[in-house]
Amino acid sequence: MASAEQYEQMFVVTKLRIVCQDLHWEVRKEMCGQLLHISKYIGPKRSMEIIVPELKELLDDEEGEVMAEAINQF
């Protein structure tokens, strides 16, 4: 059975990065809207380590709609 840390690494960190870097801009845009919910789940310390770097990348996305959605998360 996986520990909470293993679960977090496998599903929150790894999957979050994969979805935030998806080839389809619509997926990245939708993920922006979920980052706040995920950050509430993982807490402030882990959010700074996991969510903030992904959000920074999304703020620099090539698609304007993704950037706009990322800005709305602040």
Side-chain angles (χ1 to χ4, degrees):
M1 181 171 245
S3 69
E5 292 83 22
Q6 290 172 323
Y7 176 83
E8 183 179 293
Q9 182 65 37
M10 259 187 336
F11 293 102
V12 177
V13 178
T14 305
K15 302 294 183 188
L16 177 91
R17 287 192 178 127
I18 290 170
V19 176
C20 284
Q21 297 171 6
D22 195 274
L23 296 176
H24 301 285
W25 69 268
E26 295 96 341
V27 174
R28 296 190 310 271
K29 178 184 173 198
E30 290 301 317
M31 193 59 198
C32 286
Q34 300 304 313
L35 291 177
L36 179 62
H37 301 294
I38 295 168
S39 68
K40 288 179 183 177
Y41 170 75
I42 64 174
K45 182 181 176 195
R46 294 294 285 159
S47 292
M48 289 299 293
E49 297 168 359
I50 299 167
I51 303 292
V52 172
E54 295 303 321
L55 191 54
K56 284 181 182 179
E57 278 194 41
L58 292 166
L59 284 166
D60 195 33
D61 198 271
E62 59 195 33
E63 284 292 329
E65 290 189 42
V66 176
M67 287 190 303
E69 188 64 31
I71 289 169
N72 287 335
Q73 298 308 304
F74 281 105

